Amino acid sequence: MLWGIAGISVLGFLIALEIAARHYGLPGPISNQAQEVIFGPKSGPLLYAGMGLMMVVLTWRERFIAAGAAVAIDIVFFLVRWAADARMTFGNGALWVLLGCAVIAVTRRTGRERALLLKGVGLGLLLVAGRKTGDTWLLITSKALPTTLDRYVATADHALGNPSWLMGRAVEATGPVGAHILDFVYAQLAVAAVVVALYQLRNVAKERRFPGHYLVRTFLVIGLVGPAIYMIFPVVGPVFAFGTGAFGTGGEHWALANVWPHTVPPLHAPQPMPYDDLTPRNCMPSLHTAWAVTIFIHSRKGPRFLRIAGTFWLIATLTATLGFGYHYGVDLIAGVVFALTIETALRCLDRGWDRPAVALVAYGTVVFAALLTSYRYLPMEMATHPWVFGPLLVLAMASVVYGYAVSYTHL
């Protein structure tokens, strides 16, 4: 029943987003996904990760057949693209297997087995649809929001010592090797989440049921809720607002000045700044930070290798978000609070609400709202009194982290 309601809600959301995208003359998430049945996928690894999630409901024999079919289909597509001199990519095979398993579930399975296979297919497709939904959200923010609040956030970031400028110079000093490693970590965050999720779902095929709470749920909810905040707090990031970037293109002629990451901009009373209709307003909060935090949390109960990998991905993601100029320091603080609040709420939906859980969700929501309000209305005060507001920002985040850590064993 719950899965049915959730499925209808997600479908309705995707249709609404498709209509909104069409209003701006853009393809929506449904159109983009449908194209990848035939045309080259944007992210092959993500499609295979989605197929991997689906396969947790299959037996080992069925997994080998599914994987072999996906690879065989991709080889055929690869040869056709090679002959047509088209862009070489992969992932169609994984999508075909996902859709094929949905057909098998409807036509060849019954009862609980049908429901289990459909849940697996739905999980895999949701991961992929989440990426498409996020891409559409980002396009809509660039079309619907002609100005950004980067001046406010950059001013507030003085309270933390302008960490993006510091980390940008540090990453630049590592040269191309360090930049390539961080870029891979940043781009493949969803694949890292799938690795942790596969460990959490390793017993689904044997037990014939999904656990109550696992990483993918939090990952998807963050991706669905987070972009809505972009619409009320649009920010493009320091590399776009204050420079052309040390690692590629940035703000170009839309930037206020080409000063990132070597020169911190001087303090002035902030005002909204106009920006182009192509660059996403996707900084506040930092969803990459939120996702990395959830990966770290869910890897804690795994084997040692998984715990080390989760820690590495968190540190590397935080470094990349700042070091590439994609985020300000205050974005990361908001992202941590955002992630822990959603994670707590989803755990409580599974295990029941009690007074401490309600209090923690309410407190996290209040802290998150207070952070955004202070960035918008108190940036000059924060910048001129960094020894007051810097520790307050860190303490606000730490208090939510502490509250979650204390209640973690009970959640």
Side-chain angles (χ1 to χ4, degrees):
M1 180 66 176
L2 185 60
W3 275 84
I5 295 174
I8 294 172
S9 300
V10 171
L11 180 60
F13 177 76
L14 290 175
I15 292 173
L17 204 57
E18 183 79 22
I19 294 171
R22 293 291 178 178
H23 174 73
Y24 292 103
L26 304 168
I30 298 176
S31 301
N32 280 329
Q33 191 59 71
Q35 290 176 357
E36 292 188 350
V37 175
I38 300 296
F39 298 102
K42 183 177 180 180
S43 178
L46 186 66
L47 284 166
Y48 271 90
M51 186 185 72
L53 281 178
M54 180 274 297
M55 291 197 299
V56 299
V57 306
L58 304 179
T59 64
W60 278 108
R61 178 177 177 274
E62 292 168 335
R63 290 171 187 174
F64 283 121
I65 294 174
V71 172
I73 293 170
D74 262 327
I75 290 174
V76 173
F77 272 94
F78 186 89
L79 293 175
V80 171
R81 291 189 180 110
W82 176 74
D85 198 25
R87 181 174 67 94
M88 305 306 294
T89 184
F90 68 97
N92 301 87
L95 182 56
W96 279 45
V97 168
L98 279 167
L99 298 176
C101 286
V103 173
I104 291 173
V106 174
T107 60
R108 303 290 297 275
R109 301 286 177 89
T110 59
R112 292 182 60 185
E113 289 301 309
R114 171 186 290 175
L116 186 67
L117 183 53
L118 285 176
K119 287 179 183 179
V121 172
L123 188 63
L125 290 177
L126 273 176
L127 180 71
V128 179
R131 172 67 175 269
K132 301 301 179 184
T133 299
D135 291 344
T136 303
W137 261 121
L138 297 185
L139 289 172
I140 291 175
T141 64
S142 65
K143 301 295 184 183
L145 303 167
T147 61
T148 77
L149 301 177
D150 280 82
R151 289 179 173 179
Y152 293 85
V153 181
T155 302
D157 216 39
H158 279 71
L160 298 175
N162 306 103
S164 181
W165 271 257
L166 295 173
M167 193 60 71
R169 294 195 295 272
V171 172
E172 188 178 26
T174 66
V177 175
H180 287 150
I181 293 174
L182 291 176
D183 182 63
F184 174 82
V185 170
Y186 192 86
Q188 301 302 331
L189 194 64
V191 177
V194 169
V195 172
V196 177
L198 288 176
Y199 173 79
Q200 293 180 316
L201 301 176
R202 64 194 184 280
N203 294 323
V204 170
K206 179 173 64 176
E207 298 176 355
R208 311 311 293 167
R209 65 179 180 84
F210 280 83
H213 179 62
Y214 47 94
L215 172 60
V216 179
R217 297 176 70 206
T218 308
F219 210 85
L220 291 174
V221 172
I222 287 174
L224 290 173
V225 177
I229 301 170
Y230 296 160
M231 300 297 291
I232 61 176
F233 209 113
V235 181
V236 294
V239 72
F240 297 102
F242 296 100
T244 57
F247 310 102
T249 58
E252 298 176 347
H253 63 278
W254 287 96
L256 290 175
N258 185 13
V259 296
W260 185 89
H262 299 290
T263 304
V264 176
L267 283 178
H268 296 293
Q271 297 291 331
M273 60 178 286
Y275 214 81
D276 65 22
D277 60 354
L278 299 174
T279 306
R281 281 64 163 150
N282 61 339
C283 283
M284 184 61 71
S286 169
L287 295 194
H288 265 77
T289 296
W291 284 320
V293 167
T294 60
I295 290 174
F296 174 80
I297 290 172
H298 283 265
S299 66
R300 294 306 89 193
K301 291 187 176 181
R304 184 179 179 184
F305 168 77
L306 204 62
R307 296 196 303 271
I308 293 174
T311 303
F312 166 77
W313 225 269
L314 174 61
I315 295 172
T317 300
L318 297 181
T319 302
T321 56
L322 293 173
F324 290 144
Y326 297 150
H327 287 282
Y328 304 90
V330 291
D331 301 344
L332 272 62
I333 287 179
V336 172
V337 175
F338 183 70
L340 293 178
T341 303
I342 289 183
E343 173 69 13
T344 302
L346 290 177
R347 284 182 179 270
C348 292
L349 284 175
D350 173 46
R351 305 186 185 185
W353 293 86
D354 54 25
R355 183 172 297 178
V358 172
L360 183 57
V361 172
Y363 179 69
T365 303
V366 169
V367 170
F368 182 75
L371 289 173
L372 266 60
T373 302
S374 65
Y375 301 161
R376 178 63 176 82
Y377 296 105
L378 298 173
M380 285 300 293
E381 289 78 3
M382 296 172 70
T384 54
H385 301 89
W387 295 106
V388 175
F389 284 94
L392 282 177
L393 289 174
V394 175
L395 284 172
M397 177 187 70
S399 65
V400 177
V401 173
Y402 176 76
Y404 181 84
V406 168
S407 59
Y408 178 69
T409 55
H410 304 290
L411 293 174

